[in-house]
């Protein structure tokens, strides 16, 4: 029987998972302690059941605490996602303009999803007030956000290509910075910068997907944050009204919910799914 094990096609005489485990443990000369640390993923589902094997089944065996090689890692990601999803996301090019509360969360989610090419744009450094809602750690204080985020993503998925531009994006450089990106996630704090980027993208690149955020301050109901389709290639995520102001600051839960909407819309766009 031919199955895919950790991204490689193999021939096996095993009839079920129990027999396959014995084959793998023997071939890898695994000690009992190693065997106990292994997790098994069968067609994307982690299980300890003794399932029967079938022709061309996908199986992954990963030892806890150990980093798999690229082939095994990509095979595992592909298996954990819906079939044919990972093959598409690894080819995608997504820009994230602004790496604050929205952008840092979007970057982490897309890297974990396996988006193959991320383009991070921000001019600022990490400072203490960022830590209430942004993905950075104390050890990143004083670092450029682009460099800190690139280092963090490398610890989550080292096989994502991350390009950075540590610049302030404006009407003079916006078109050039975004020329190679298929999908653009706007993640700025200031309304004027949001408006500038939206205008530049819609003017120069009407065929690109633009996903913006607007209205996620405070601690209002989660359900009021939604994704709206503005035009065929333009989406707006948030509640559209709750701006940051005295007495209504930016807090991690709602900011992260809005970022998740943007990241999910980017994924849906990669897969060719349109929101109405």
């Amino acid at each position: 029987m031919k199955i895919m094990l950790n991204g490689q096609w193999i021939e096996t005489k095993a009839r079920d998972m129990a027999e396959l485990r014995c084959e793998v443990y023997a071939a890898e000369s695994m000690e009992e302690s190693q065997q106990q640390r292994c997790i098994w993923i069968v067609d994307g589902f982690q299980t300890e059941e003794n399932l029967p094997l079938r022709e061309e089944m996908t199986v992954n065996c990963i030892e806890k605490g150990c980093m798999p090689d690229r082939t095994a890692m990509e095979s595992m990601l592909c298996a954990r996602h819906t079939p044919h999803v990972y093959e598409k996301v690894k080819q995608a090019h997504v820009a994230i303009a602004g790496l604050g509360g929205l952008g840092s969360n979007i970057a982490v989610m897309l890297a974990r999803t396996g988006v193959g090419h991320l383009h991070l744009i921000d001019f600022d450094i990490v400072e203490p007030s960022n830590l209430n809602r942004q993905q950075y750690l104390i050890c990143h204080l004083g670092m450029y956000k682009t460099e800190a985020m690139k280092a963090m993503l490398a610890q989550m998925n080292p096989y994502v290509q991350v390009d950075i531009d540590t610049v302030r994006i404006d009407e003079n450089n916006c078109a050039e910075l975004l020329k190679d990106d298929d999908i653009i996630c706007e993640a700025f704090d200031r309304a004027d910068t949001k408006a500038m980027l939206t205008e530049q993208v819609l003017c120069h690149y009407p065929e690109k997907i633009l996903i913006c955020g607007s209205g996620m301050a405070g601690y209002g109901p989660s359900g009021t944050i939604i994704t709206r389709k503005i035009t065929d290639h333009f989406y707006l995520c948030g509640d559209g009204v709750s701006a940051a102001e005295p007495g209504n600051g930016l807090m991690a839960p709602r900011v992260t919910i809005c970022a998740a909407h943007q990241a999910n819309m980017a994924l849906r766009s990669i897969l060719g799914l349109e929101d109405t």
Side-chain angles (χ1 to χ4, degrees):
M1 182 186 304
K2 186 169 85 170
I3 66 169
M4 179 171 284
L5 177 65
N6 289 342
Q8 304 285 348
W9 289 108
I10 67 164
E11 291 287 342
T12 179
K13 295 180 180 179
R15 293 165 296 179
D16 55 33
M17 286 299 300
E19 292 182 1
L20 180 64
R21 289 187 183 99
C22 291
E23 279 189 10
V24 171
Y25 294 153
E28 298 291 333
S29 300
M30 282 191 181
E31 299 177 357
E32 185 175 353
S33 60
Q34 290 177 286
Q35 296 175 22
Q36 292 173 349
R37 292 197 301 268
C38 286
I39 62 171
W40 289 83
I41 301 170
V42 181
D43 283 340
F45 178 65
Q46 184 176 331
T47 180
E48 296 181 0
E49 292 184 55
N50 185 26
L51 300 175
L53 296 183
R54 68 174 188 276
E55 195 73 23
E56 298 190 356
M57 177 180 275
T58 299
V59 180
N60 293 87
C61 173
I62 305 296
E63 185 178 352
K64 290 182 180 180
C66 296
M67 179 64 187
D69 63 27
R70 181 166 192 154
T71 299
M73 180 72 169
E74 291 198 336
S75 173
M76 181 185 65
L77 286 173
C78 186
R80 286 300 254 176
H81 294 319
T82 305
H84 311 302
V85 168
Y86 182 66
E87 293 91 334
K88 292 181 179 180
V89 297
K90 70 181 292 188
Q91 302 300 324
H93 291 70
V94 180
I96 303 170
L99 294 174
L102 287 177
S104 64
N105 281 287
I106 293 168
V108 166
M109 285 183 265
L110 293 182
R112 292 193 187 282
T113 303
V115 170
H117 305 81
L118 292 178
H119 181 194
L120 311 181
I121 307 169
D122 201 298
F123 69 94
D124 211 353
I125 64 171
V126 181
E127 45 90 2
S129 73
N130 299 151
L131 302 180
N132 84 313
R133 68 196 183 281
Q134 302 181 18
Q135 283 285 340
Y136 308 104
L137 307 175
I138 289 173
C139 63
H140 296 127
L141 292 175
M143 292 180 63
Y144 284 112
K145 290 183 177 180
T146 49
E147 295 175 359
M149 183 52 57
K150 183 174 183 177
M152 290 181 68
L153 297 184
Q155 295 298 310
M156 299 173 194
N157 188 341
Y159 307 122
V160 173
Q161 179 180 325
V162 180
D163 298 315
I164 63 174
D165 277 300
T166 308
V167 296
R168 186 190 293 270
I169 193 168
D170 58 30
E171 64 273 9
N172 298 313
N173 61 15
C174 186
E176 178 64 21
L177 284 170
L178 300 174
K179 62 183 175 62
D180 296 325
D181 302 306
D182 304 318
I183 298 171
I184 300 154
C185 292
E186 175 276 314
F188 295 127
D189 292 332
R190 293 177 47 169
D192 58 343
T193 313
K194 288 175 177 287
M196 178 278 299
L197 184 135
T198 300
E199 181 180 350
Q200 289 289 312
V201 172
L202 294 180
C203 176
H204 293 282
Y205 303 117
E207 76 287 356
K208 294 182 186 288
I209 300 294
L210 175 62
I211 306 170
C212 298
S214 177
M216 75 282 315
Y219 40 86
S222 300
T224 57
I225 294 178
I226 61 173
T227 299
R228 288 175 288 158
K229 184 176 182 179
I230 308 302
T231 68
D232 284 345
H233 297 95
F234 179 24
Y235 297 88
L236 189 61
C237 303
D239 65 20
V241 295
S242 56
E245 57 188 3
N248 195 50
L250 293 167
M251 302 174 71
R254 292 190 96 235
V255 170
T256 304
I257 291 169
C258 187
H261 272 260
Q262 290 186 259
N264 192 54
M265 193 62 243
L267 174 60
R268 289 177 58 78
S269 298
I270 292 167
L271 300 178
L273 302 173
E274 294 187 358
D275 284 18
T276 56

